[in-house]
Amino acid sequence: GPQGADENSAPAELLLKGVYGIRTLAEPSATWIKDQATLTELYHKLNARHGGKDKISPQIDFKQFGVLFLETGQKPSGGFAINFDDTKTRTADGQLEIHASWKDPPEGMAVTQAVTSPFLLLKIKSKDLTSILVLDQNNRSLFEVPIN
């Protein structure tokens, strides 16, 4: 890319989203990934869940960036999702605010009878951050993830 592209990169960008994540517990989770080996291993696990549709782990400069793995927890059917709203990302005092909307299937909607585990993978410009605050669509705080 052009010189200085990383300097102007978004504070958070979507790498991957899907509904066949790896979490088997019902409660949501947020995992901070700070090295390439962990990210590559996660992609292998996600690919296995996706029936082998191989998505290649991106090469990330972990001196400047980290990856946030958000999972809704395991759901009993299709129709659930998690979406990243990049219009609301902001940084204040070393804390990055990430907005994720959690979607449930509407009442009475026909849904896939398969266990799902919706997830988001976000590339985060972490160099000057101390933490990430994850908020839902109602501005409720879901997670505070320390960056070290």
Side-chain angles (χ1 to χ4, degrees):
Q3 281 307 133
D6 269 1
E7 290 308 304
N8 308 321
S9 63
E13 66 179 274
L14 182 65
L15 288 176
L16 189 64
K17 64 174 276 189
V19 295
Y20 295 106
I22 56 177
R23 191 162 177 80
T24 53
L25 300 173
E27 66 273 12
S29 75
T31 308
W32 181 241
I33 298 171
K34 49 189 178 181
D35 62 79
Q36 192 67 50
T38 306
L39 183 63
T40 301
E41 185 187 350
L42 174 59
Y43 267 76
H44 285 312
K45 287 178 182 167
L46 288 170
N47 284 332
R49 279 286 286 127
H50 276 270
K53 286 202 282 284
D54 281 354
K55 295 185 172 61
I56 306 296
S57 168
Q59 294 296 308
I60 287 176
D61 176 4
F62 281 96
K63 288 193 276 296
Q64 307 274 340
F65 298 92
V67 175
L68 183 65
F69 183 39
L70 284 179
E71 297 175 279
T72 63
Q74 195 170 79
K75 303 295 181 186
S77 71
F80 294 87
I82 178 173
N83 298 301
F84 168 50
D85 183 351
D86 63 356
T87 62
K88 293 183 177 168
T89 307
R90 64 190 193 96
T91 311
D93 301 326
Q95 182 172 74
L96 181 69
E97 271 187 20
I98 295 284
H99 288 256
S101 56
W102 303 61
K103 184 169 134 325
D104 291 351
E107 286 292 314
M109 183 179 114
V111 293
T112 313
Q113 292 310 306
V115 171
T116 60
S117 186
F119 70 91
L120 286 178
L121 265 182
L122 300 173
K123 178 181 169 183
I124 306 285
K125 193 169 182 179
S126 56
K127 194 164 170 274
D128 303 314
L129 296 181
T130 51
S131 65
I132 300 170
L133 185 64
V134 181
L135 302 160
D136 70 7
Q137 61 266 45
N138 303 311
N139 274 344
R140 277 190 308 236
S141 170
L142 300 172
F143 301 104
E144 189 164 352
V145 183
I147 305 291
N148 38 25

